[in-house]
Amino acid sequence: MRFGIKAAEDLGIPEVQFWTASACSFIGYLHYRELIRRGIFPFKNDDYLTDGTLDKPVDWICGMSNVKFRDLPSFLRTTDPNDIMFDFMGEEAQSCLKASSIIFNAFDEFETEALEAVISKFNFPNIYTIGPLQLLARHIVSKSQVNSLNSSLWKPDSKVFEWLDQRAPNSVVYVNYGSVTTMTDHHFREFAWGLANSRQQFLWIVRPDVVQGGESARIFDTLWMEFYDGNYLCWCACHLLAFLC
């Protein structure tokens, strides 16, 4: 992140950036400024969600062929010219080019086009690929202290896996908003009732802060009492899970 580069400059030492997402996402963020220059961002109104705009091809991004607007990092999907995540991610990607090297969570054969674009178009030859990181976990010694490290601050509840094991294959709807998505109270309730009215078993991951204002847990508890009997709530891998029994 940018503060690391500034600290390295002040200390007079080399600084290496680690981009944990894909190289394609990095290319997409690097072109956020171009979206502004071309007048594409911000969208004028919410019609872009339904009028086919997101399905228009984008043929001017080096390193990403055969893509549409919907394939670009989704923070561009807003009508707010001051959207904080659009600005933040675009500038974070640009700042990486000031580092001495960049490490990507990718491997050359999988993202050749994007990696070559970073080298050629952005004149940044010092890139290294070490991914996918998930495969590196198998090299950790079983009794190593590294096994105690976890990116989650919540205590997992493994009962969710017991519940899933009792369900038939392809019978559970899985819903996950990711780590940064937020929504209004109204949209949260609409989503909840949509799941409830589907009459399908579902596994729904709800962060405590997914509702703007941090009221997810309170609203969810209220709604759940209206849905069905025999429900269950638990914490698992940093997320609130709810599923129909």
Side-chain angles (χ1 to χ4, degrees):
M1 300 181 78
R2 276 174 284 182
F3 65 83
I5 294 177
K6 182 62 170 63
E9 290 176 349
D10 292 344
L11 295 172
I13 59 177
E15 203 273 346
V16 178
Q17 287 282 296
F18 178 31
W19 189 264
T20 58
S22 65
C24 277
S25 71
F26 184 69
I27 290 291
Y29 289 126
L30 286 177
H31 283 83
Y32 268 11
R33 290 180 179 178
E34 184 65 13
L35 291 171
I36 298 174
R37 192 188 71 80
R38 290 174 178 252
I40 298 171
F41 177 89
F43 290 108
K44 304 303 183 289
N45 52 56
D46 289 336
D47 290 346
Y48 75 91
L49 293 168
T50 57
D51 64 6
T53 295
L54 295 179
D55 290 317
K56 292 181 178 179
V58 183
D59 58 5
W60 44 266
I61 295 184
C62 180
M64 296 181 69
S65 58
N66 302 316
V67 297
K68 303 174 182 178
F69 281 112
R70 69 169 60 257
D71 300 317
L72 298 179
S74 60
F75 295 120
L76 72 89
R77 302 183 193 182
T78 179
T79 57
D80 181 4
N82 299 311
D83 184 81
I84 187 171
M85 290 306 298
F86 180 91
D87 292 339
F88 176 76
M89 294 305 300
E91 292 309 307
E92 282 298 314
Q94 292 290 339
S95 70
C96 285
L97 299 178
K98 299 177 182 179
S100 58
S101 303
I102 303 176
I103 298 174
F104 286 100
N105 179 20
F107 57 98
D108 294 2
E109 292 80 2
F110 186 61
E111 295 199 272
T112 303
E113 186 180 5
L115 293 168
E116 289 180 347
V118 175
I119 296 173
S120 59
K121 180 175 180 179
F122 297 97
N123 193 29
F124 196 94
N126 298 328
I127 62 175
Y128 304 91
T129 56
I130 63 170
L133 292 178
Q134 294 89 333
L135 296 183
L136 298 180
R138 61 187 178 185
H139 298 295
I140 298 176
V141 179
S142 59
K143 295 184 179 181
S144 170
Q145 291 183 341
V146 176
N147 286 321
S148 65
L149 300 178
N150 196 311
S151 60
S152 173
L153 299 178
W154 300 99
K155 182 179 180 180
D157 187 337
S158 59
K159 292 180 181 178
V160 63
F161 301 110
E162 298 175 8
W163 181 85
L164 283 172
D165 287 340
Q166 298 171 10
R167 268 60 197 172
N170 302 317
S171 66
V172 178
V173 176
Y174 175 69
V175 184
N176 186 347
Y177 302 117
S179 58
V180 296
T181 299
T182 60
M183 63 185 68
T184 63
D185 180 319
H186 171 73
H187 287 141
F188 184 80
R189 292 175 183 273
E190 285 292 304
F191 207 106
W193 279 111
L195 281 173
N197 292 331
S198 73
R199 310 302 298 182
Q200 296 292 319
Q201 298 180 105
F202 58 85
L203 175 59
W204 187 14
I205 300 182
V206 183
R207 299 191 327 273
D209 62 345
V210 72
V211 174
Q212 296 165 6
E215 295 295 317
S216 304
R218 179 186 61 79
I219 297 172
F220 188 84
D221 287 344
T222 302
L223 286 172
W224 197 251
M225 295 301 293
E226 301 180 48
F227 285 170
Y228 301 97
D229 294 328
N231 57 76
Y232 179 78
L233 298 176
C234 73
W235 288 104
C236 179
C238 192
H239 297 296
L240 179 65
L241 300 181
F243 42 86
L244 173 63
C245 295

